Amino acid sequence: MKGGARLAGDVMVGGAKNSALKLMAVALLAEGRSVVANVPRITDIAIMAEVLRRLGCDVTLDGTEAVIDVPAEPGSEADYDLVRRLRASICVLGPLLARRGYVRVALPGGDMIGSRGLDMHVSGLARMGAEISGEHGFVIASAPGGLHGAKIWLDFPSVGATENILMAAVLAKGVTEIDNAAREPEIVDICEMLNAMGARIEGAGTSTLVIEGVQGPLKPVRHTTVGDRIVGGTWAYAAVMTRGDVTVRGVRPEFLDIALDKLATAGATIEPGDNCFRVRTSERPRGVDIVTLPYPGFATDLLPMALGLASVAEGSSLITENIFDGRFMFVNEMVRLGADIRTDGHHAVVNGRDRLSGAPVRATDIRAGAGLVIAGLCAEGVTEVGEVHHIDRGYPDFVADLARLGVEVERTDVPEPTFDF
């Protein structure tokens, strides 16, 4: 990838990865054929499809649609060989427990961005009557007497815990109230699909979810995934970092209010539209301080882009990460590109430079990989980003989109080095 490009043009953003994966799990709650439309063409979707197949579902990925035929009695065990590759697969825990009364799911793997325990998932389901244990790397949950409604307080508005408890509660006896629930658009998306299936959920998008369990079976539906705000935010930050002019389509700008406001503070012009927005600037951005927080705060998944912006901005910026303790793991790769970043715990002080310098770097997770590519656009010379399979997990057609926006970029297969002994 050659640096110095100014991004200009339109880019279309597909469905949100963090929603589509969970919507596929939601389908487990209803026997029959459900269709999840606007799914991104990424490797994580293919892995999730295989997780569902091993649970007895017939899954077809047709373009941007996932067609899921769920049997009367889906399986109740998710094996480690798939779950280790996709942390989101833990979201089958809630729906399978609700439908089968027993589930055995391997402890997940996923990105190396810090500890993400399952304590809140477990304690919430236990309050609903589940008996939960762990052995040999598996979480085992059973509800011999069925699940019942409960009042559940989450210590932190965990997206995953909210999802699992929510999906289990729709078939529980009585009313479940989740306080301090996650408020992300992806949670609202799940609630909308569940309600279309016959669930009774109120409070989507607020910190309190009230779920009245239904005793009759839910029905399969067709549902369209919400646009991916993180991919949209990535393009927005790339436009400002390269002093470009990019219109992002397929994402509602209100989902990125704080992230776009930070770009306006940095000097960019933001023009919101109907399921789209335009970001443009011709000047070097100004440094801005950013703090990651649960939605509607600044998304932790956009932190690598915030660091990239600060690295080429005028002045100094303070970037604070409050969600994942390992999110700064890729800073050493940014330093290889010439960025002036010093970290102290969950803070990073960044002194902006007019230009970075091209170098070989490697992606450590999905968002860090995208952040390094965008930083490479602001570097003199050629930047090589390795281990791009991480990027594939969150950004479909990333290279093609970059090329359409004016970047001189290519993807190559690098052979493994061989050594004589």
Side-chain angles (χ1 to χ4, degrees), residues 286-326:
R286 297 186 292 270
V288 291
D289 296 341
I290 290 174
V291 178
T292 66
L293 289 167
Y295 190 86
F298 191 96
T300 179
D301 279 356
L302 288 176
L303 180 128
M305 297 71 192
L307 280 170
L309 177 73
S311 296
V312 297
E314 188 175 351
S316 298
S317 305
L318 176 64
I319 312 294
T320 303
E321 167 59 30
N322 287 315
I323 311 298
F324 293 130
D325 53 20

Side-chain angles (χ1 to χ4, degrees), residues 39 159 180 220 363 373 393:
V39 298
V159 172
N180 199 28
V373 171
R393 292 182 48 219

Side-chain angles (χ1 to χ4, degrees), residues 28 89 112 173 187 217 259:
L28 289 167
S89 54
M112 296 173 59
K173 297 174 186 174
I187 296 289

Side-chain angles (χ1 to χ4, degrees), residues 183-200:
R183 300 163 57 187
E184 276 77 356
E186 295 79 16
I187 296 289
V188 177
D189 207 18
I190 291 170
C191 290
E192 289 178 351
M193 180 170 174
L194 286 168
N195 281 338
M197 295 168 75
R200 297 171 185 164

Side-chain angles (χ1 to χ4, degrees), residues 343-409:
T343 60
D344 181 8
H346 60 285
H347 301 287
V349 176
V350 189
N351 295 310
R353 291 181 170 169
D354 187 51
R355 280 284 167 192
L356 302 177
S357 57
V361 293
R362 67 180 185 90
T364 53
D365 64 72
I366 300 171
R367 309 305 172 186
L372 288 167
V373 171
I374 301 305
L377 300 180
C378 306
E380 293 178 345
V382 175
T383 297
E384 297 177 4
V385 181
E387 299 190 35
V388 294
H389 62 276
H390 288 295
I391 302 174
D392 294 340
R393 292 182 48 219
Y395 295 83
D397 303 320
F398 196 47
V399 170
D401 285 337
L402 285 166
R404 278 191 290 269
L405 292 172
V407 179
E408 192 175 319
V409 58

